[in-house]
Amino acid sequence: MRNTTVKIRNSFLFPSSRFLRFNGIILAFITLLLSGAAFAEDNCYLTAIANNVSTPLLQSVASDIRLVKGVNQFELVCTLSQSGVFTFTRPALKSFSWQQDGALKAPLKTNQMAILMEQGSFHAQLTVTVTNSYTPRFTWLNTQQFIERVQLYNLIFGVFYGLCATLIFYVLIIGYGIKDAIFKQYGAYLFCIASFIFLQEGQPYLFAQNQFSELIRNLYSLSIGLTVVSATWFMCAILALPQYWPKVSHLLKIAALCVLTLCLQRVALDLPAIANLTSAITGYLSLLIVMSIFILSAVQAKQGVNEAGLVFIALSCVFISMTFRILLTEYSPFIQRYGFVIAFTLESLLLAIAVAKRLQRLSYAKKQAERHANYDPLCHIHNRRGWSLKANDLLTQHAQQGGILCFLYIDLDRFKVINDSYGHDVGDKVLSKVAQLINNHMRSEDAVGRLGGDEFVAMALFTSKDKINQRVATLEQKLNALSLEHQGNTIAIYASVGQINYSEAPKNLDEVLKAGDEAMYQKKSLRKAQAKQTYTRENA
């Protein structure tokens, strides 16, 4: 009996392991219920005073409540287990007040309207005055979620604005010396789209007080029109619409100016009676312009127009973001919130690539034009213009560094006889062969060119006369040993080389050409006299 009593007492003092496990399960279940009850306490209801319609606001989920033009009054009833933030967008917001416990509560200084909500239960009266009907997307989040979203928001938009600024400076610097309006148009478009996003997202409110709301709204309306105009002008230019579709390009630009006019009307006149009508016309007309340019970019890309494919892909990104923003509003909160900015970022990058490709083509075309302007197409050496440019560089180098400047004026002997006897095709071959020999004999840094007809020139800078005399003597020997085979006949080629050396820098290139021409004619006269003496001696 005594042992039994001891066991019973011990069982109360030291419960069995089975009993402990059972108690643990009960405690866990109670804790789960309590936590569920605590979670259930987090709720908010927004009631419209005008019609007494109450709408539950779920955490982190934007509502579809639509505000009507004018004054909208609501009562907000919330029970929160931790502090939170009530937010909504303010594109058409004119004024806002939050009254709680008989006092007005100031909003947080953020781009969106944001009010801090304390932990616990409270009632608040909201008065929202708007200039146009719109959906503000009322949302509430706990404080930690709000901070994380603000950090993500600042990161994404910081990258976007940084990219826009970089591209604008890139266009201004690279396109500064190029006479192509498209670079200025692209820079203007980037500035307008960045300003539009900046105003649309309400970011001026980070720096300005609420009393500037009307000014910010007017700037936002103006940015819409300027963005449409700058985008239309730039897209028409890069797609070459004025060349391929002049009438369509003209109509698109007129439509864009109509959008700008409507935006200016909203800013200057502020007619409440037609505000909704002008907003609708502006929206549909802008959409029509974008759709038309999108279709034309596809057509131009199919026809192989430069950069049209990149423009088509860029506009596709914008259309995809607009689809999520307008139609698939509940598909992805992240895309819904940031898709538009990401799309414009991708569009800006793709358009920057398109502009860079255009710059590359223009640079190549410029180099080709300079080559055609400075080179002789027959002899593949400098023409008179190209040779003068390089010769003037040598004159400048000689004046700065010293040395001996050697100028050669080369004229073919009896070239007219070759043309008359064998034809101009053979004469061209002779000119080409002579030019190739002179060019191969001279150095790459020397200036070799054809002045015209059968006259060639060469200029070189040397350190000593010995090198000059040796090179000139070899060149003259090779020229007079040159020949051309034509239909079994050997055509001998002869040339007179006039040489002028300068230890002191000459005044200008005209002086050099004149002196070289005189030296060449003296050499030609000497060669004729020698040839005449040889002929007389052989026939004596």
Side-chain angles (χ1 to χ4, degrees), residues 104 175 333 436 450 453 526:
L104 293 175
Q436 184 179 3
R450 178 190 175 201
L526 179 61

Side-chain angles (χ1 to χ4, degrees), residues 8-53:
I8 292 173
R9 287 178 180 175
N10 289 339
S11 67
F12 280 99
L13 293 174
F14 305 98
S16 66
S17 59
R18 182 179 298 176
F19 181 79
L20 288 174
R21 285 196 299 269
F22 178 78
N23 285 343
I25 294 172
I26 294 298
L27 288 173
F29 182 72
I30 293 172
T31 303
L32 182 62
L33 288 177
L34 290 175
S35 64
F39 179 79
E41 288 179 357
D42 287 342
N43 59 76
C44 280
Y45 290 90
L46 191 66
T47 304
I49 296 177
N51 53 18
N52 201 30
V53 174

Side-chain angles (χ1 to χ4, degrees), residues 256-385:
L257 291 175
C258 289
V259 171
L260 178 59
T261 303
L262 290 171
C263 293
L264 289 173
Q265 175 269 320
R266 291 174 59 185
V267 172
L269 302 180
D270 191 19
L271 301 175
I274 61 172
N276 290 336
L277 178 61
T278 56
S279 297
I281 295 175
T282 300
Y284 286 118
L285 195 55
S286 301
L287 184 60
L288 178 62
I289 293 172
V290 174
M291 289 181 62
S292 300
I293 294 176
F294 179 72
I295 294 171
L296 288 171
S297 67
V299 174
Q300 296 293 76
K302 187 176 181 180
Q303 292 181 352
V305 176
N306 294 315
E307 290 84 54
L310 286 170
V311 176
F312 175 77
I313 297 172
L315 290 176
S316 299
C317 295
V318 176
F319 268 115
I320 292 172
S321 70
M322 291 177 68
T323 301
F324 279 98
R325 193 179 183 92
I326 298 172
L327 300 177
L328 305 177
T329 55
E330 301 299 332
Y331 180 77
S332 171
F334 178 84
I335 296 178
Q336 175 66 22
R337 182 70 181 87
Y338 303 109
F340 210 50
V341 176
I342 294 173
F344 274 116
T345 302
L346 292 174
E347 183 199 43
S348 300
L349 286 172
L350 290 170
L351 293 179
I353 295 173
V355 170
K357 288 173 69 68
R358 183 181 180 89
L359 176 62
Q360 185 180 11
R361 288 192 299 103
L362 289 176
S363 299
Y364 178 76
K366 184 179 179 180
K367 289 180 180 179
Q368 288 296 102
E370 289 178 352
R371 180 177 179 83
H372 292 318
N374 296 331
Y375 278 81
D376 188 296
L378 173 64
C379 297
H380 304 292
I381 56 175
H382 286 296
N383 58 16
R384 189 184 190 98
R385 179 179 182 275

